[in-house]
Amino acid sequence: HGSRLSCAWCTAAFEPCISREGPCSAGYYKSSPQVCSPCPANSYSQAGAGSCTSCPAGQYSGEGASGCSPCPAGQFKGASQDRVKPVRLTHTAIPELAAV
């Protein structure tokens, strides 16, 4: 019986460490073995991810997102841009990003 007691104590004592070292929830990534950090704006992650993924062109997200959303009507975000910008039409009717 003594070994069962010590095994139960050992498991209970290390439970907090095991929990902290486990996978991160959606919208977070493993920034160190014991720290989950939120994904920055315009990126996302699924539960258990080790890094964040950038939102594709035409989509955006807030910090700590588990997915991206389409840009609002009249707005656009390129794949390498960090924010959504208004779209304007030139005289040739080709959309280009407005300098904001």
Side-chain angles (χ1 to χ4, degrees):
H1 294 326
S3 64
R4 281 189 179 175
L5 180 60
S6 63
C7 183
W9 176 86
C10 180
T11 302
F14 288 104
E15 179 83 26
C17 291
I18 292 168
S19 296
R20 282 187 300 185
E21 292 179 3
C24 298
S25 57
Y28 290 78
Y29 71 99
K30 216 43 142 162
S31 55
S32 76
Q34 295 182 338
V35 177
C36 289
S37 297
C39 289
N42 297 311
S43 66
Y44 69 96
S45 73
Q46 301 300 315
S51 62
C52 300
T53 302
S54 294
C55 291
Q59 296 188 10
Y60 74 102
S61 73
E63 182 179 279
S66 60
C68 299
S69 301
C71 293
Q75 305 266 325
F76 181 79
K77 184 192 83 60
S80 63
Q81 294 173 313
D82 61 354
R83 66 177 192 221
V84 177
K85 297 180 180 182
V87 173
R88 69 176 181 197
L89 297 177
T90 65
H91 68 282
T92 58
I94 299 173
E96 74 177 33
L97 297 177
V100 177

